[in-house]
Amino acid sequence: FTNVPVGIFAGALVYFFLHDTEPARTDQPADWAGIVLLATGLASLQYVLEEGQQDDWFSSPTIVRLTALSIITMVALAIWQLSPRNTHPVIDFRVLRNRSLVAGMILFVAVGFGLYGVSYLYPLLAQTIQGLTAAQTGMALLPGGLATAFSIVFCGVVTSNPKSKIDARLLTLFGIGV
């Protein structure tokens, strides 16, 4: 029941302060080949990753077949999405020509691994190896969560101010360094 009041508060904030503009209607054809390849590749990969360990990975013919299917469909998806014949790709890889976007994506993945990896592995370590309770593990993670919350608000305020003399890239480098 802890999340109910927070969820109601967040929903109220979204309802009162977040207004969406009317989207421009475009009647572009759907990339059905891309959608089918993406769905098949991801569904196969998900099954392999979820069931692989209990089926002894590649000693299971099902895992081997689905791995091959996933690889084939994902490679075909990449080729189809980059094909000049595909005028409306479901995943537009052409945006990766922008070096700033690619650098941001790499940084986002690295930060995601750091944040979510630690958030997943530390409680596992603390509760199984060190014998801490769930409450003790939560209290151990609390300072990092508070520091992250403060940093997000601070960086948002500093970088959104047009008169700010602090470059967002310097804040990013400082955060990586810390």
Side-chain angles (χ1 to χ4, degrees):
F1 292 111
T2 304
N3 293 333
V4 173
V6 175
I8 291 171
F9 179 68
L13 287 176
V14 167
Y15 179 77
F16 289 114
F17 294 107
L18 188 64
H19 302 289
D20 199 8
T21 59
E22 187 65 31
R25 175 108 170 110
T26 59
D27 292 328
Q28 297 177 349
D31 179 17
W32 288 109
I35 292 170
V36 168
L37 287 169
L38 180 64
T40 305
L42 288 180
S44 303
L45 180 63
Q46 182 176 355
Y47 183 87
V48 167
L49 293 176
E50 286 183 5
E51 303 296 327
Q53 185 173 1
Q54 76 182 31
D55 291 348
D56 199 23
W57 293 104
F58 294 110
S59 62
S60 166
T62 305
I63 297 297
V64 171
R65 287 187 197 113
L66 287 176
T67 301
L69 178 66
S70 177
I71 291 170
I72 291 167
T73 54
M74 294 305 240
V75 168
L77 173 72
I79 292 168
W80 172 243
Q81 295 306 297
L82 292 170
S83 170
R85 294 183 330 175
N86 188 359
T87 56
H88 302 290
V90 69
I91 304 170
D92 192 3
F93 289 124
R94 294 174 188 101
V95 299
L96 297 177
R97 292 180 187 143
N98 184 335
R99 289 185 357 194
S100 296
L101 177 67
V102 172
M105 289 174 61
I106 291 170
L107 196 61
F108 180 74
V109 168
V111 167
F113 270 107
L115 288 176
Y116 297 115
V118 169
S119 297
Y120 173 75
L121 291 175
Y122 179 74
L124 195 63
L125 169 81
Q127 292 175 11
T128 57
I129 307 273
Q130 295 177 332
L132 298 179
T133 65
Q136 290 171 324
T137 303
M139 292 304 287
L141 288 170
L142 184 64
L146 292 175
T148 301
F150 172 76
S151 299
I152 289 171
V153 172
F154 173 76
C155 290
V157 168
V158 169
T159 58
S160 66
N161 185 356
K163 296 178 183 177
S164 176
K165 302 288 186 212
I166 300 176
D167 188 7
R169 293 174 292 189
L170 294 176
L171 284 173
T172 304
L173 288 174
F174 176 74
I176 290 171
V178 169

